[in-house]
Coordinates of all heavy atoms in Angstrom, one line a residue:
N9 N -11.0 6.6 3.6 CA -10.1 6.1 2.3 C -11.2 6.0 1.2 O -12.0 5.0 1.3 CB -9.6 4.8 2.8 CG -8.9 4.1 1.6 OD1 -8.7 4.8 0.6 ND2 -8.6 2.9 1.7
W10 N -11.2 6.8 0.3 CA -12.1 6.8 -0.7 C -11.8 5.8 -1.8 O -12.6 5.5 -2.7 CB -12.2 8.3 -1.4 CG -12.8 9.4 -0.5 CD1 -13.1 9.2 0.8 CD2 -13.1 10.6 -0.9 NE1 -13.6 10.4 1.3 CE2 -13.5 11.3 0.3 CE3 -13.0 11.4 -2.1 CZ2 -13.9 12.7 0.2 CZ3 -13.3 12.6 -2.2 CH2 -13.8 13.5 -0.9
K11 N -10.7 5.2 -1.6 CA -10.2 4.1 -2.7 C -10.4 4.7 -4.1 O -10.2 5.8 -4.3 CB -11.0 2.8 -2.5 CG -11.0 2.4 -1.0 CD -11.4 1.0 -0.7 CE -11.6 0.7 0.7 NZ -11.6 -0.8 0.9
M12 N -10.8 3.8 -5.0 CA -10.9 4.2 -6.4 C -12.3 4.6 -6.7 O -13.0 4.0 -7.6 CB -10.4 3.1 -7.3 CG -10.1 3.7 -8.7 SD -9.3 2.4 -9.7 CE -10.5 1.2 -10.1
N13 N -12.9 5.5 -5.9 CA -14.3 6.0 -6.0 C -14.3 7.5 -6.2 O -13.3 8.2 -5.9 CB -15.1 5.6 -4.7 CG -15.2 4.0 -4.7 OD1 -15.7 3.4 -5.6 ND2 -14.5 3.4 -3.6
T14 N -15.5 8.0 -6.6 CA -15.8 9.4 -6.8 C -15.4 9.9 -8.1 O -14.6 9.2 -8.8 CB -15.2 10.4 -5.7 OG1 -13.9 10.4 -5.8 CG2 -15.6 10.0 -4.3
T15 N -16.1 10.9 -8.5 CA -15.8 11.7 -9.7 C -15.3 13.1 -9.2 O -15.4 13.4 -8.1 CB -17.0 11.9 -10.6 OG1 -17.9 12.7 -9.8 CG2 -17.6 10.6 -10.9
A16 N -14.8 13.9 -10.2 CA -14.4 15.3 -9.8 C -15.5 16.0 -9.1 O -15.4 16.6 -8.0 CB -13.9 16.1 -11.0
A17 N -16.7 15.9 -9.8 CA -17.9 16.5 -9.1 C -18.3 16.0 -7.8 O -18.5 16.7 -6.8 CB -19.1 16.5 -10.2
S18 N -18.3 14.6 -7.6 CA -18.8 14.1 -6.3 C -17.7 14.3 -5.3 O -18.0 14.4 -4.1 CB -19.2 12.7 -6.5 OG -18.0 11.8 -6.8
S19 N -16.4 14.3 -5.7 CA -15.4 14.7 -4.8 C -15.7 16.0 -4.1 O -15.6 16.3 -2.9 CB -13.9 14.8 -5.3 OG -13.7 13.4 -5.7
A20 N -15.9 17.0 -4.9 CA -16.2 18.4 -4.5 C -17.4 18.5 -3.5 O -17.3 19.1 -2.5 CB -16.3 19.3 -5.6

Side-chain angles (χ1 to χ4, degrees):
N9 174 13
W10 294 4
K11 309 195 189 194
M12 199 170 74
N13 294 298
T14 68
T15 62
S18 69
S19 292

